Amino acid sequence: MESDNNRMKEIFIGNHVIYSGTGSAGEVLDVRRDDEGVWVKVDTTQLWYNSRYLELIGREEYMKLKSRKSKRKNKVSNEEDDEKVASKRKVDATKKDLEGVDMSSELCDGGG
């Protein structure tokens, strides 16, 4: 089954598309038609999009977008890893600072 997008080009299963609302891009998995229009399921989000909001893109353009997204994801992952390492260092430093502290009952009285 094919679909018409806003540029009046047919969309087929296996085509690459980009959703104008969010910039999500992916490969077309399925196409369906109902009373509200033609719907296209995209592999990257597993969501159905109304075909009038999709734009056909070539494989090269799709691969560029996919590569950029992957680089951004890796950068975020590296930043999160850096934050984890910094937090661990702070915890370790605090533990080291507290090693010499005597927490016996002579110093602390719980009252009560």
Side-chain angles (χ1 to χ4, degrees):
M1 179 184 283
E2 74 276 346
S3 160
D4 290 332
N5 65 357
N6 62 353
R7 296 180 192 237
M8 302 311 288
K9 293 184 180 178
E10 292 179 311
I11 298 175
F12 295 96
I13 294 173
N15 284 145
H16 293 97
V17 294
I18 187 166
Y19 174 60
S20 60
T22 61
S24 297
E27 185 175 328
V28 175
L29 296 177
D30 199 1
V31 180
R32 294 198 178 155
R33 186 179 303 270
D34 67 12
D35 295 340
E36 296 180 28
V38 179
W39 300 87
V40 176
K41 187 174 184 179
V42 178
D43 70 335
T44 52
T45 59
Q46 296 295 309
L47 297 174
W48 290 89
Y49 298 91
N50 190 307
S51 65
R52 72 183 126 186
Y53 300 110
L54 295 174
E55 181 180 336
L56 279 169
I57 57 174
R59 179 166 173 71
E60 293 89 24
E61 186 176 354
Y62 171 68
M63 296 308 287
K64 284 181 193 176
L65 291 170
K66 189 175 178 181
S67 175
R68 275 190 231 143
K69 184 177 180 180
S70 178
K71 286 178 184 175
R72 270 189 252 124
K73 189 175 183 180
N74 286 340
K75 182 179 178 184
V76 168
S77 178
N78 290 340
E79 289 172 357
E80 288 173 353
D81 289 344
D82 291 345
E83 287 178 24
K84 288 178 185 176
V85 169
S87 294
K88 183 169 180 359
R89 285 187 186 141
K90 288 179 185 177
V91 168
D92 290 343
T94 302
K95 283 182 182 179
K96 187 175 180 180
D97 289 344
L98 294 175
E99 281 178 357
V101 175
D102 181 15
M103 297 297 285
S104 67
S105 61
E106 295 174 13
L107 294 176
C108 301
D109 188 6

